Amino acid sequence: MWPWLRALRRIGVLALILCGSFVNAFLVGVILAPYRAPFIALNQASHWITLLSVLLFAIAVFLKSSTRLLVWLGPGVIAFVIWYLPAWRPRSSPDVSGTPIIAATYNVNMWGSAKPEEIISVISAVEADVVGLQELSPALQARLELELRDHYPYQVSEAVEGYEGFALLSRFPIMESNVIMDVDWYPVDRRVPGYLRAVLNMNPQYIAVYVIHTPLPIHYIDSYSLAGYLQGLRYALFEYDDGLQLAHMAHIADLVAAETIPVLVLCDCNSTPHSRQYEVLDKVMDDAYDAQGWGLGLSHPVKPFRMLRLDYIWYSSEFSVVDATVWSESGTSDHYPIRTRLALDMPRANLVTPYGDGRIE
């Protein structure tokens, strides 16, 4: 072998060892200290970190590396196989009965630059019966009421300048609704919605629908510049704390668990499936994409490419899921919508209505 080629091979093997060391350190940290920085932040990207091990392992095999190196790279491969390979398992179409409903969730903003006409075009194309929107601006709110009233005659919304507005668009009558301005987890000088809740009449059944937007840990990027990203990196490595998100999600889980009618939660959860926020809600509801989606379900960001699964449709046990997809268009948002077809099957005798006395109106 030529000397330069031998030296290049040694550099490659050293790179494999170093990358394998990073992955193994990450896995040890996730096991021993999963809720401390930097592992809590790195865990949001665990699908990419473990996929890196798969690629490194393939390169090591191609280079006919030693057994010791393959073993060193093995834990990351095993983690990917256990955590993520099932996402590509074949999905059979379930045999379901009951009242059909198509639900969608869609974060409609992109750092304040969303164009209402493009967002409305995406909403119309999704053709859902119920659509939950996060980060609703006053400008978009006015356009929704004007241009989508024929498609969605029942709407409830609270628009906020910035990133915290909500809307629920429905083809089913909205019997009651409220937007909770819950400031317990936010700085006192910010008035932002904690969640939107509505009760829909699917005749003869009632369902509760929540639209939520779990907050970021803190707003740690002062500017979208090199200095701002370096600040964010320092925060992720040394100060990352998801307590704010966890408190919000735990409160939503308590509310959902107390419901006496079927429930849907339409969510930009700002958390991946390997977060403890996900685990909290997963104890009381089921994730539609996990049940009937295919692939990792990455929905954010639009550019340069999808990296994270942050958007979810959760459902209670009275629903069955037919399919779940990440919509192919995002308009001007930095999130892709999630669309799910479900069926609701609940005997009329078991119906609990908002009136509390069995009346159906």
Side-chain angles (χ1 to χ4, degrees):
M1 182 181 296
W2 295 335
W4 66 268
L5 191 58
R6 186 181 299 112
L8 189 62
R9 177 186 174 86
R10 288 176 178 173
I11 293 173
V13 170
L14 179 60
L16 291 175
I17 293 173
L18 293 175
C19 289
S21 300
F22 164 73
V23 174
N24 290 339
F26 161 72
L27 293 174
V28 171
V30 166
I31 293 171
L32 298 181
Y35 307 131
R36 300 190 63 176
F39 303 112
I40 192 171
L42 290 173
N43 203 20
Q44 304 291 323
S46 57
H47 49 302
W48 295 116
I49 294 174
T50 53
L51 178 61
L52 174 64
S53 279
V54 175
L55 298 177
L56 296 176
F57 190 89
I59 293 172
V61 171
F62 176 78
L63 294 177
K64 299 180 180 180
S65 301
S66 67
T67 302
R68 286 186 299 175
L69 180 56
L70 296 177
V71 171
W72 185 243
L73 298 173
V77 176
I78 295 171
F80 183 85
V81 169
I82 294 174
W83 290 347
Y84 296 109
L85 195 60
W88 285 278
R89 69 184 184 274
R91 311 287 176 133
S92 58
S93 299
D95 184 14
V96 300
S97 60
T99 305
I101 178 173
I102 301 175
T105 185
Y106 184 20
N107 181 317
V108 294
N109 206 349
M110 179 183 276
W111 304 308
S113 63
K115 296 180 180 179
E117 60 275 10
E118 295 193 29
I119 297 298
I120 289 173
S121 177
V122 172
I123 294 172
S124 299
V126 169
E127 293 187 334
D129 300 308
V130 178
V131 183
L133 305 178
Q134 301 87 22
E135 299 195 15
L136 179 70
S137 67
L140 180 56
Q141 181 187 40
R143 296 285 291 272
L144 293 175
E145 295 173 351
L146 179 65
E147 299 181 33
L148 290 181
R149 182 62 65 179
D150 291 340
H151 291 85
Y152 297 102
Y154 309 100
Q155 301 185 19
V156 57
S157 62
E158 172 123 11
V160 177
E161 289 290 357
Y163 305 102
E164 302 298 346
F166 286 136
L168 179 65
L169 313 179
S170 175
R171 292 174 177 168
F172 303 107
I174 297 176
M175 308 306 296
E176 63 178 63
S177 65
N178 57 344
V179 178
I180 303 300
M181 310 302 284
D182 198 331
V183 299
D184 288 348
W185 308 299
Y186 296 87
V188 295
D189 60 341
R190 291 178 61 192
R191 182 178 181 270
V192 295
Y195 60 90
L196 181 156
R197 177 187 181 271
V199 174
L200 309 186
N201 182 359
M202 293 184 62
N203 191 23
Q205 298 154 325
Y206 284 74
I207 67 170
V209 179
Y210 287 78
V211 182
I212 68 174
H213 185 199
T214 305
L216 292 169
I218 61 170
H219 188 67
Y220 55 84
I221 298 179
D222 291 335
S223 63
Y224 296 101
S225 63
L226 178 59
Y229 285 116
L230 290 177
Q231 179 189 7
L233 178 61
R234 180 192 60 78
Y235 165 76
L237 292 176
F238 303 107
E239 302 176 29
Y240 194 98
D241 181 0
D242 66 346
L244 189 73
Q245 294 172 300
L246 187 63
H248 185 271
M249 192 65 79
H251 184 59
I252 298 297
D254 289 342
L255 293 174
V256 167
E259 293 282 357
T260 56
I261 54 178
V263 185
L264 292 176
V265 174
L266 314 177
C267 176
D268 171 5
C269 291
N270 273 321
S271 303
T272 66
H274 274 260
S275 66
R276 54 179 173 172
Q277 296 86 277
Y278 181 98
E279 294 174 359
V280 165
L281 199 53
D282 192 48
K283 291 179 180 178
V284 296
M285 303 194 78
D286 292 304
D287 172 3
Y289 196 90
D290 184 62
Q292 283 297 121
W294 191 85
L296 294 179
L298 307 179
S299 59
H300 173 81
V302 173
K303 298 177 181 179
F305 55 87
R306 306 181 195 187
M307 292 185 284
L308 300 171
R309 179 152 96 95
L310 303 181
D311 302 275
Y312 304 83
I313 295 174
W314 299 86
Y315 63 97
S316 59
S317 59
E318 296 87 356
F319 292 93
S320 300
V321 181
V322 178
D323 59 43
T325 57
V326 180
W327 199 250
S328 59
E329 299 293 333
S330 67
T332 53
S333 173
D334 56 347
H335 288 251
Y336 290 92
I338 305 296
R339 182 183 190 269
T340 298
R341 290 193 298 155
L342 309 103
L344 172 62
D345 185 11
M346 187 174 71
R348 185 185 181 93
N350 293 338
L351 180 65
V352 179
T353 78
Y355 304 101
D357 57 7
R359 285 187 290 127
I360 304 295
E361 297 187 358

